[in-house]
Amino acid sequence: MSQPFTAIATLIAKAGQQDALEQHLRALLEPTRAEVGCGQYDLHQDLANPLAFYMIEQWSSDEALQAHDASAHIQNFRARAGDLIEHFDLKRLRSVA
């Protein structure tokens, strides 16, 4: 089993789609926060670029993130909101201090 880590998901909405994407992202908060292994799952929007959203996440292990990725609510999000997203990136970070 892996060590706990932080993840930052970056989602850039297609032009004019930021409100719709935000609604879909907000719908992920409650079910994800209830997942085993999720210590934090917070949504942020870039003040300088309202098309850019960041999900700040804490996971107990790689397995917990993999289970999240396979969850019904994430699969539903991809099916419903995938066309709203211009760019997606996930960074996995380890604490050094």
Side-chain angles (χ1 to χ4, degrees):
M1 192 176 250
S2 66
Q3 298 285 358
F5 62 92
T6 299
I8 300 176
T10 302
L11 300 100
I12 309 297
K14 291 181 179 176
Q17 299 299 317
Q18 66 267 24
D19 292 341
L21 180 58
E22 181 179 348
Q23 288 180 344
H24 286 288
L25 290 169
R26 284 178 178 271
L28 296 175
L29 296 174
E30 186 177 330
T32 299
R33 288 173 178 162
E35 291 179 37
V36 172
C38 179
Q40 178 184 1
Y41 198 76
D42 296 327
L43 178 61
H44 299 268
Q45 186 175 27
D46 192 321
L47 292 173
N49 178 7
L51 296 175
F53 294 90
Y54 302 92
M55 199 66 81
I56 311 300
E57 310 173 22
Q58 293 278 332
W59 294 100
S60 63
S61 66
D62 290 328
E63 294 80 8
L65 180 58
Q66 289 169 3
H68 166 68
D69 198 42
S71 69
H73 53 274
I74 290 297
Q75 296 304 314
N76 186 43
F77 168 78
R78 287 184 180 137
R80 292 176 173 233
D83 290 342
L84 305 174
I85 300 169
E86 183 71 34
H87 173 77
F88 172 81
D89 182 57
L90 181 70
K91 300 285 188 219
R92 295 165 40 100
L93 311 170
R94 67 178 176 90
S95 178
V96 294

